[in-house]
Amino acid sequence: MWGGRFADGPAAVMREINASIPFDKRMWRQDISGSKAHVAMLGKQGIVVAEDVATIDAGLDAVAADYARDGVPIDLDLEDIHMMTEARLADKIGPVAGRLHTARSRNDQVATDFRLWTRDAIDEVLTALGAFQQALLARAEEHADAVMPGFTHLQSAQPVTLGHHLMAYHEMIARDVSRFEDARVRMNRCPLGSAALAGTGFPIDRDATAAALGFDAPTRNSLDAVSDRDFALDYLSSATQCSLHLSRLAEEFVLWASQPFGFVALSDQWSTGSSIMPQKRNPDAAELVRGHAGRIMGCFTALMVTMKGLPLAYSKDMQDDKPPVFEAHDLIGLCLAAMTGMVESATFRTDRMRSLAMSGFSTATDLADWLVREADLPFREAHHVTGRAVKRAEELGISLDSLSIEQLREIDARIDERVYDVLSVDASVASRTSFGGTAPDNVRTAIRAAREPRS
């Protein structure tokens, strides 16, 4: 390709560092689609004659069939998927293949291909997120009444329901969906026709190529179009946030599957054993999801650092934009599939959850609230009274609701028998009826709302 300007070929190391075909070959479908849209536009504008357009279009179909059947070959001399496709096209149709590159550059070509690939990646992630949400909804509905301890500081705080807990992750994933959707809308402008950096003097129709490729419109500035990788950073940012949420649930599964908790048994499909300890059942899938989150964050950081100091317009540094996005996409897909499988197949030990919810004086706040409502105490005074009740129960080695009315009245004479209506874990969760609260009816309402079609 460089024969007109360079007398000598590149050094072997230069060939290797300069070539991106080993990783950008996975954009071959997008490269074919962009080329077909481009040549069709060239024909309609009278820039390339109809006969050559038909020949090029058929040749691109043949190249695509080869790729689909045999994969994309690696040839470092051809550098990237764009030159590889052009070379394969020339092998099939001869010199007319050279007309395909009229009025475009590899700069706008790669920017278009990469946007197309990232848009497809977002669609794949949105499908996987939808499946994960459905798994969460199904298990939340199944366990809308199941009482478990709610934690702050990993200390028993107040009783909640398992359904409410799982719906908390549904909320997180809903935000992830919105982030990916926002990124898709923002990136959906077509760089094709920006050429190297300044546009082209050919009478092209950028609206036509944008429409043919499913973009909302062409990009508005040629300099920005060829050098913009915000869409890739948006993707990585969304994937990073999502991986954080998946990692949090994975960490809970690791804790819950341990013997001290005993809240969940992961299925054989999502567990491994030990090479030396036959009793072990390790939550390795959850641990790997937790670990992969760090790698996805690293991908986001890598691309931010690559882009942070680049002047306009294109620089070769930007060839390194694709590996972190490709890696993050592969990892987030694995993580979503694994977490969906774990949620769908997990056996939640609700009896163990309920038992621990009844320990740790988790209904202490309910006693304080009762004193405010029924005995008209200021909350701070009610807090102190409840603290004395907890201390007394702790001294006796019993739960709050096991204290006799006489023992409670010794602490504060304003307490009467009605207090037992709020001291059980079932009464506690049932009372949390404020919007967004853990009451089972609230959980079911939230599930119904989540299943309603979005406007």
Side-chain angles (χ1 to χ4, degrees), residues 363 366-371 373-374 401 417-429 431:
T363 59
D366 298 276
L367 173 56
D369 289 347
W370 185 90
L371 288 166
R373 285 194 311 268
E374 304 300 333
D401 61 348
E417 295 279 355
R418 295 174 299 164
V419 75
Y420 293 107
D421 293 338
V422 304
L423 289 184
S424 72
V425 291
D426 292 299
S428 177
V429 297
S431 71

Side-chain angles (χ1 to χ4, degrees), residues 4-78:
R5 173 67 178 84
F6 291 81
D8 296 326
V13 172
M14 180 60 189
R15 288 173 65 246
E16 186 167 350
I17 196 174
N18 193 48
S20 58
I21 186 67
F23 54 83
D24 70 17
K25 64 180 183 176
R26 69 192 287 171
M27 297 194 306
W28 70 262
R29 290 179 177 83
Q30 291 77 24
D31 197 62
I32 295 288
S33 296
S35 293
K36 287 171 72 70
H38 182 67
V39 77
M41 179 275 295
L42 293 177
K44 289 178 182 177
Q45 295 299 107
I47 300 169
V48 175
V49 299
E51 181 181 356
D52 288 349
V53 169
T55 300
I56 291 170
D57 189 72
L60 288 168
D61 286 338
V63 173
D66 289 348
Y67 289 164
R69 183 184 63 249
D70 305 323
V72 179
I74 301 294
D75 184 340
L76 299 186
D77 287 329
L78 293 174

Side-chain angles (χ1 to χ4, degrees), residues 216-232:
D216 296 329
T219 52
R220 290 188 288 260
N221 182 286
S222 60
L223 281 168
D224 177 57
V226 298
S227 60
D228 167 41
R229 293 299 183 269
D230 287 2
F231 63 91

Side-chain angles (χ1 to χ4, degrees), residues 224-430:
D224 177 57
V226 298
S227 60
D228 167 41
R229 293 299 183 269
D230 287 2
F231 63 91
L233 290 168
D234 279 351
Y235 176 86
L236 289 173
S237 174
S238 300
T240 296
Q241 292 266 103
C242 183
S243 73
L244 292 177
H245 296 150
L246 297 178
S247 183
R248 293 181 72 179
L249 181 56
E251 167 67 4
E252 295 206 301
F253 272 17
V254 171
L255 289 173
W256 291 0
S258 67
Q259 284 73 27
F261 274 82
F263 285 5
V264 69
L266 298 178
S267 72
D268 291 348
Q269 294 173 296
W270 303 106
S271 305
T272 65
S274 165
S275 63
I276 190 172
M277 297 170 284
Q279 85 281 8
K280 291 296 295 298
R281 184 184 183 86
N282 300 324
D284 280 7
E287 291 172 5
L288 287 166
V289 169
R290 190 177 59 187
H292 286 355
R295 292 174 62 189
I296 293 170
M297 293 175 213
C299 292
F300 184 31
T301 301
L303 185 54
M304 283 195 294
V305 173
T306 296
M307 296 300 299
K308 73 174 179 63
L310 298 186
L312 292 176
Y314 182 84
S315 297
K316 197 69 170 183
D317 314 47
M318 293 168 66
Q319 184 166 287
D320 284 338
D321 57 358
K322 287 167 281 295
V325 177
F326 293 164
E327 180 182 1
H329 181 64
D330 292 343
L331 290 173
I332 200 69
L334 277 174
C335 291
L336 281 166
M339 289 309 306
T340 300
M342 280 185 274
V343 168
E344 288 176 337
S345 61
T347 300
F348 292 105
R349 293 173 170 163
T350 54
D351 54 342
R352 172 67 175 166
M353 291 181 176
R354 182 182 183 83
S355 175
L356 287 187
M358 296 171 65
S359 66
F361 312 108
S362 63
T363 59
T365 306
D366 298 276
L367 173 56
D369 289 347
W370 185 90
L371 288 166
V372 171
R373 285 194 311 268
E374 304 300 333
D376 197 28
L377 272 68
F379 182 80
R380 279 296 157 218
E381 183 180 353
H383 188 284
H384 292 312
V385 170
T386 301
R388 293 198 297 273
V390 168
K391 183 178 180 180
R392 182 60 176 147
E394 192 172 43
E395 291 169 347
L396 296 172
I398 59 177
S399 62
L400 269 179
D401 61 348
S402 295
L403 288 170
S404 68
I405 189 63
E406 290 77 19
Q407 290 168 325
L408 287 169
R409 288 180 64 83
E410 286 176 8
I411 295 166
D412 194 291
R414 290 166 289 190
I415 300 175
D416 61 44
E417 295 279 355
R418 295 174 299 164
V419 75
Y420 293 107
D421 293 338
V422 304
L423 289 184
S424 72
V425 291
D426 292 299
S428 177
V429 297

